[in-house]
């Protein structure tokens, strides 16, 4: 909820199922419509994500509709990676994750906001360099120097190439 507030304060419209779905709402239709109409998707990656087939279905729908993905890691990388379904791993493999597990979440939230703004064309003109890459749901982004970022920087790919995530941390 903290991140939702930050995104809204930055001028983004944020859809959350627990706010939007009320009794009697056809939830599957409402969720699918929200995913398909969004410019970007910010999946929250936690160890509990693996327990939800809804999350996997939503991510699959976002991927098949070529939505720009900005995953946010809120639990330890290794724990989350092992909890993800194989389809989630495949989809998220080509995307740099934002690591919110450290003490600098304000700075990381600002980096996330800046990158979303750049991806959807709200950033300054200088930040639009490389926009051809940003038109794809997968692009290289780097946020921090922690183990998860180093590992993911080593596996980030452009366009639609699907190498698997290594099971052991990458060391440079």
């Amino acid at each position: 909820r903290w991140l939702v507030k930050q995104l809204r304060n930055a001028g983004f419209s944020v859809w959350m199922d627990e706010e939007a779905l009320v009794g009697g709402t056809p939830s599957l239709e409402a969720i699918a419509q929200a995913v398909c109409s969004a410019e970007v998707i910010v999946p929250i990656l936690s160890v509990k994500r693996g327990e939800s087939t809804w999350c996997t279905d939503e991510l699959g729908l976002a991927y098949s509709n070529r939505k720009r993905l900005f995953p946010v890691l809120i639990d330890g990388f290794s724990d989350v990676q092992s909890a993800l379904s194989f389809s989630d791993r495949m989809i998220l493999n080509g995307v740099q994750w934002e690591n919110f597990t450290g003490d600098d979440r304000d700075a990381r939230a600002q980096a996330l906001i800046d990158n979303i703004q750049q991806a959807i064309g709200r950033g300054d003109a200088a930040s639009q360099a490389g926009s051809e890459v940003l038109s794809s749901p997968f692009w290289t982004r780097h946020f921090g120097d922690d183990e998860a970022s180093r590992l993911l920087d080593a596996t980030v790919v452009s366009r639609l190439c699907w190498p698997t995530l290594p099971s052991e941390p990458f060391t440079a």
Side-chain angles (χ1 to χ4, degrees):
R1 290 176 189 62
W2 174 86
L3 182 57
V4 169
K5 182 179 178 184
Q6 300 303 310
L7 291 168
R8 286 181 175 151
N9 287 344
F12 293 111
S13 173
V14 179
W15 188 93
M16 285 184 55
D17 59 355
E18 61 191 45
E19 294 174 354
L21 299 178
V22 294
T25 303
S27 58
L28 188 59
E29 183 68 22
I31 292 169
Q33 184 177 17
V35 169
C36 291
S37 65
E39 285 187 75
V40 299
I41 304 292
V42 181
I44 305 301
L45 306 180
S46 71
V47 294
K48 292 188 177 194
R49 180 180 176 82
E51 300 170 8
S52 172
T53 57
W54 285 96
C55 290
T56 295
D57 292 346
E58 292 162 11
L59 187 62
L61 183 60
Y63 169 74
S64 67
N65 282 276
R66 299 188 52 78
K67 299 300 176 178
R68 295 176 182 135
L69 302 173
F70 291 85
V72 171
L73 183 69
I74 62 170
D75 289 327
F77 176 78
S78 296
D79 294 333
V80 170
Q81 181 190 21
S82 64
L84 291 175
S85 70
F86 287 108
S87 59
D88 283 355
R89 289 182 195 187
M90 182 184 81
I91 291 168
L92 295 171
N93 185 55
V95 182
Q96 182 68 39
W97 302 1
E98 179 67 68
N99 186 348
F100 272 57
T101 61
D103 295 331
D104 58 346
R105 74 178 188 170
D106 290 332
R108 291 174 188 265
Q110 189 57 55
L112 174 66
I113 289 166
D114 291 346
N115 281 288
I116 292 172
Q117 289 174 331
Q118 179 182 347
I120 64 173
R122 288 193 198 171
D124 60 51
S127 70
Q128 295 305 308
S131 61
E132 187 265 324
V133 173
L134 291 174
S135 68
S136 166
F138 309 107
W139 56 89
T140 303
R141 296 182 289 134
H142 178 74
F143 303 102
D145 295 320
D146 59 12
E147 179 180 308
S149 291
R150 285 194 311 274
L151 172 60
L152 287 167
D153 283 345
T155 61
V156 168
V157 295
S158 62
R159 296 290 179 209
L160 299 175
C161 180
W162 300 109
T164 59
L165 283 170
S167 58
E168 295 297 321
F170 173 80
T171 54

